[in-house]
């Protein structure tokens, strides 16, 4: 391993592939032995072995002659097993959570080893996590509903994944994370995907609260009055929180998305929800809606439009 020459990459690639094969065999062995409670120790041990290989790799070559691709391969594999250790203890969607944590870990590694492959891998994993949790409707039927509302597997699966994407974007902030010829930044895309994951979580938890069967069924309109109002109020709160985040982070995209969601919420309230109310409840709803819109207008005038006028 210390002699430069052809085929050195094959040695390190073989070690990484062997660690993946050993993980699969070890996972099955732990299950057969009834050691599932300690299965997190398996990927940690493999990560420690890969860390030793990484140290050896750093010693083999001088800093000026190090191959960033080889460093990224071994270090990324070690981080992959570390990030798998925590979600492996969970019983549902642990693979998806592991991918999300790996996306964050690769983003951090990209700040240390600026290899473009790490950036593309982090962005690709973020997209896969988003597709599995948002675009894949069947994910809600893979597992039966939990008997506990709110504090269930929906919460940790979507919340941890969203937090991992936000963390990845934070790591990539200030780096050369341009994708698609510079027209898209990985950090911006990850923030967008993470925000959508949070919005999906809010709607899933509401649907789960009002669900009666073994799986979650969405009824944005046409459900009970309480369910319709729960969606409307949660959308309004989410829009206001997104607007506040956009103002604090000086993100025009976040502010536009917040206003768009707020408009949709207002239309839903006027065209659907208020029609189901009567008497003083309808009057109180109109007053509350008017006050909310006035507060949003004041916030926009003070924190968004005023600075632009000064410029």
């Amino acid at each position: 391993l210390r002699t430069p020459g052809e085929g050195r990459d094959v040695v390190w690639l073989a070690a990484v592939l062997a660690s993946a094969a050993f993980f699969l065999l070890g996972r099955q062995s732990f299950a057969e032995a009834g050691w599932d409670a300690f299965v997190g120790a398996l990927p940690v041990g493999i990560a420690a072995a890969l860390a030793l290989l990484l140290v050896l790799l750093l010693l083999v070559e001088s800093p000026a002659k190090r191959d960033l691709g080889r460093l990224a391969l071994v270090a990324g594999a070690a981080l992959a097993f570390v990030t798998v250790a925590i979600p492996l203890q969970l019983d549902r969607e642990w693979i998806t959570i592991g991918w999300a944590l790996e996306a964050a870990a690769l983003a951090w590694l990209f700040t240390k080893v600026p290899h473009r492959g790490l950036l593309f891998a982090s962005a690709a994993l973020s997209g896969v996590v988003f597709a599995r949790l948002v675009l894949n409707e069947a994910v809600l039927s893979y597992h039966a509903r939990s008997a506990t509302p709110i504090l269930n597997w929906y919460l940790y699966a979507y919340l941890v994944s969203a937090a991992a994407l936000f963390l990845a974007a934070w790591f990539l902030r200030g780096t050369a994370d341009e994708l698609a010829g510079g027209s898209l930044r990985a950090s911006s895309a990850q923030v967008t995907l993470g925000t959508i994951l949070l919005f999906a979580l809010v709607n899933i938890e509401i649907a789960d609260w009002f669900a009666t069967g073994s799986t979650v069924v969405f009824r944005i309109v046409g459900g009970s009055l309480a369910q319709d109002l729960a969606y409307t109020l949660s959308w309004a709160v989410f829009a206001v929180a997104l607007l506040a985040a956009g103002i604090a982070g000086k993100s025009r995209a976040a502010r536009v998305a917040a206003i768009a969601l707020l408009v949709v919420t207002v239309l839903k309230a006027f065209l659907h929800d208020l029609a189901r109310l009567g008497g003083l409840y309808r009057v109180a709803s109109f007053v509350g809606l008017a006050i909310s819109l006035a507060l949003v207008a004041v916030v926009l005038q003070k924190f968004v439009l005023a600075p632009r006028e000064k410029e």
Side-chain angles (χ1 to χ4, degrees), residues 38-246:
F38 310 99
V39 71
L42 175 63
V44 171
I46 298 176
L50 288 174
L52 293 177
L53 286 179
L54 181 61
V55 172
L56 178 59
L57 182 59
L58 293 174
L59 295 176
V60 167
E61 298 174 330
S62 62
K65 297 181 179 180
R66 286 172 182 166
D67 188 334
L68 293 182
R70 194 158 48 238
L71 281 174
L73 173 66
V74 179
L79 286 175
F81 285 109
V82 171
T83 55
V84 161
I86 298 176
L88 192 60
Q89 299 293 146
L90 305 175
D91 60 341
R92 296 174 182 178
E93 298 305 317
W94 68 267
I95 294 180
T96 306
I97 298 174
W99 289 341
L101 294 175
E102 175 65 4
L106 291 178
W108 171 82
L109 184 59
F110 178 71
T111 64
K112 307 300 180 182
V113 183
H115 189 274
R116 297 289 292 178
L118 296 174
L119 176 64
F120 289 130
S122 177
L125 284 174
S126 301
V128 170
V129 170
F130 174 80
R132 181 172 175 81
L133 294 179
V134 176
L135 303 181
N136 178 27
E137 184 180 356
V139 69
L140 299 177
S141 60
Y142 287 157
H143 318 286
R145 286 179 54 241
S146 173
T148 305
I150 308 300
L151 301 177
N152 46 37
W153 72 270
Y154 304 120
L155 182 65
Y156 73 70
Y158 284 79
L159 188 60
V160 172
S161 298
L165 296 189
F166 287 135
L167 185 60
W170 185 76
F171 285 139
L172 293 177
R173 184 182 57 180
T175 65
D177 63 334
E178 294 83 3
L179 299 174
S183 59
L184 176 67
R185 299 196 61 177
S187 56
S188 300
Q190 288 167 332
V191 168
T192 301
L193 298 182
T195 303
I196 297 175
L197 280 177
L198 290 181
F199 185 66
L201 173 62
V202 171
N203 289 273
I204 289 173
E205 292 290 7
I206 294 175
D208 178 62
W209 182 276
F210 290 97
T212 57
S214 59
T215 57
V216 171
V217 178
F218 284 100
R219 291 187 177 90
I220 303 299
V221 293
S224 64
L225 177 60
Q227 187 173 3
D228 286 343
L229 293 178
Y231 280 119
T232 303
L233 292 175
S234 64
W235 291 2
V237 172
F238 192 91
V240 172
L242 184 59
L243 179 61

